[in-house]
Amino acid sequence: MLKPLGDRVIIEREEEEEKNVGGIVLADNAKKKPQTGTVVSVGEGRVLDNGQTVAPVVKKGDKVMFDKYAGTEIEDNDKSYLVLHEKDIVAIVE
């Protein structure tokens, strides 16, 4: 598994439910990407100017909401993940 550096977080996006209206099936690139997912791995945390490390707020297994255009999509072992900074996470879903 991948281990993110610094304040980065690896997220597995939730799959969007496939809906079709009136028999029209949307192409994958026309569908909206979900803005929620599950945290798969968390980095050590953000390093401040004075050298102290601030531990991340999120932890592995948390369900989170994130900014729409945040992060970088990567693939590992035929699975798609999103790597983003902790600041791009807007909420933890409880």
Side-chain angles (χ1 to χ4, degrees):
M1 185 59 201
L2 301 170
K3 177 72 175 163
L5 300 175
D7 69 333
R8 289 181 177 84
V9 178
I10 298 178
I11 294 177
E12 186 173 0
R13 283 186 196 244
E14 286 189 355
E15 293 296 321
E16 185 80 10
E17 289 183 20
E18 195 167 312
K19 297 178 184 176
N20 54 15
V21 178
I24 299 172
V25 178
L26 296 175
D28 284 341
N29 60 355
K31 295 178 185 175
K32 290 190 335 184
K33 291 189 177 181
Q35 290 176 255
T36 58
T38 304
V39 176
V40 175
S41 186
V42 181
E44 299 285 323
R46 184 170 48 103
V47 178
L48 301 176
D49 292 336
N50 63 5
Q52 288 184 326
T53 302
V54 178
V57 175
V58 296
K59 61 187 178 303
K60 183 177 179 177
D62 282 349
K63 186 174 176 181
V64 295
M65 294 180 70
F66 47 87
D67 289 333
K68 189 172 192 168
Y69 299 108
T72 304
E73 289 192 28
I74 60 168
E75 284 198 22
D76 184 46
N77 295 332
D78 295 330
K79 281 190 140 185
S80 181
Y81 298 101
L82 185 67
V83 179
L84 46 83
H85 290 276
E86 187 181 32
K87 67 180 180 179
D88 294 327
I89 296 173
V90 295
I92 297 174
V93 180
E94 295 181 346

